[in-house]
């Protein structure tokens, strides 16, 4: 399956660019996925394997990766090998997870070497991300493209959740494996408020990005 967390959140930000700037830009989802895997591997190494390394992430990973590595248009980085027209990062993730498991089993934690090998796997499968590229007649780095073309107030976006495990109207951690870092920047509200935020936003011309789980027993993502 494709890395839906990146595709859905990137689509949200593309809509925000349209709303704020009137500019339609197709962004590269896989540029974010590439660097998210690098950072996930770095976290796995730092925690000596006591962290999930699997497919999946959360919406805030997009903004965190953009702030660190910038963003690029889809024309600059597709993340598809030659002759492939569908995204599926599960085999890629399985290969990297197997390599990191070997490191754990052998108590080998040299970060520079391990990250270099993770990037070699990513480069072979997705292709190396561009250090610079041309877009509409100008030369950009990913960071310059983020600042001058994307131009979104990334710190203004808020993540909501509704759970009984934390007090309402407080910030906390969304406690699921996909929130591997884990960030604690989720504002917990009652379910009625959660739903009202969605309906009020969409009725006023805004969009929302929703993280949904299709991995429960009895659910099949492609059909359900």
């Amino acid at each position: 399956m494709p890395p839906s967390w990146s595709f859905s959140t990137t689509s949200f930000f593309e809509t925000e660019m349209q709303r704020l700037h009137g500019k339609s830009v197709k962004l590269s989802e896989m540029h974010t996925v590439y660097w998210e895997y690098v950072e996930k591997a770095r976290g796995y190494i730092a925690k000596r394997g006591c962290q999930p390394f699997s497919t999946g992430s959360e919406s805030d990973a997009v903004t965190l990766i953009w702030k660190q590595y910038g963003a690029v248009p889809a024309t600059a980085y597709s993340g598809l090998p030659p002759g492939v027209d569908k995204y599926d990062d599960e085999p890629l993730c399985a290969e990297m997870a197997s390599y990191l498991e070997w490191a754990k089993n052998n108590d080998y934690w040299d970060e520079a070497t391990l990250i270099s090998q993770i990037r070699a796997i990513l480069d072979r499968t997705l292709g190396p991300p561009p250090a610079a590229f041309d877009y509409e007649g100008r030369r950009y780095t990913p960071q310059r493209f983020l600042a001058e073309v994307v131009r979104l107030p990334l710190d203004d976006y808020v993540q909501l959740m509704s759970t009984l495990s934390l007090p309402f109207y407080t910030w906390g951690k969304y406690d699921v494996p996909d929130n591997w870092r884990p960030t604690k920047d989720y504002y917990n509200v009652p379910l009625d408020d959660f739903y009202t935020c969605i309906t009020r936003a969409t009725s006023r011309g805004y969009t929302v990005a929703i993280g949904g789980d299709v991995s429960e027993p009895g659910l099949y993502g492609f059909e359900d």
Side-chain angles (χ1 to χ4, degrees):
M1 293 178 67
S4 56
W5 61 270
S6 181
F7 279 76
S8 58
T9 310
T10 302
S11 175
F12 167 78
F13 284 124
E14 289 169 348
T15 306
E16 282 293 276
M17 292 174 67
Q18 180 75 40
R19 180 179 69 86
L20 293 173
H21 312 320
K23 188 174 181 62
S24 179
V25 180
K26 184 71 190 78
L27 300 173
S28 171
E29 300 90 354
M30 298 306 290
H31 182 265
T32 305
V33 172
Y34 181 106
W35 290 115
E36 177 72 347
Y37 271 130
V38 169
E39 290 307 309
K40 188 179 290 189
R42 202 184 308 278
Y44 184 96
I45 296 163
K47 296 174 184 176
R48 298 300 188 258
C50 296
Q51 171 196 292
F53 189 93
S54 60
T55 59
S57 194
E58 294 297 329
S59 290
D60 63 344
V62 176
T63 57
L64 292 170
I65 291 298
W66 281 4
K67 288 177 182 179
Q68 189 170 359
Y69 293 103
V72 307
T75 52
Y77 189 75
S78 72
L80 281 172
V84 177
D85 61 358
K86 291 183 176 63
Y87 292 102
D88 182 4
D89 68 334
E90 291 186 4
L92 167 65
C93 183
E95 182 178 357
M96 291 186 290
S98 177
Y99 175 68
L100 291 172
E101 185 178 7
W102 170 89
K104 182 178 181 179
N105 291 338
N106 288 274
D107 197 27
Y108 181 80
W109 299 113
D110 182 76
E111 181 180 294
T113 300
L114 295 177
I115 293 297
S116 175
Q117 290 301 312
I118 289 293
R119 290 199 60 183
I121 296 171
L122 289 163
D123 288 351
R124 172 166 44 80
T125 306
L126 304 180
F133 53 89
D134 294 321
Y135 180 77
E136 294 186 345
R138 297 185 64 186
R139 191 74 171 165
Y140 291 94
T141 63
Q143 289 287 6
R144 183 182 176 190
F145 185 82
L146 176 67
E148 298 183 7
V149 179
V150 177
R151 290 190 300 127
L152 291 178
L154 298 181
D155 291 330
D156 288 357
Y157 297 98
V158 178
Q159 296 188 113
L160 302 176
M161 64 178 175
S162 185
T163 176
L164 296 175
S165 62
L166 294 171
F168 290 134
Y169 308 115
T170 62
W171 297 93
K173 178 178 72 173
Y174 182 39
D175 194 12
V176 295
D178 283 351
N179 187 18
W180 60 267
R181 282 177 170 86
T183 56
K184 300 180 181 180
D185 299 326
Y186 291 80
Y187 194 62
N188 190 38
V189 297
L191 188 58
D192 285 347
D193 288 358
F194 184 87
Y195 181 68
T196 298
C197 287
I198 296 171
T199 56
R200 183 177 295 171
T202 54
S203 68
R204 296 180 180 182
Y206 294 88
T207 54
V208 296
I210 300 177
D213 184 11
V214 293
S215 61
E216 297 299 325
L219 286 176
Y220 182 60
F222 284 105
E223 296 180 357
D224 298 334

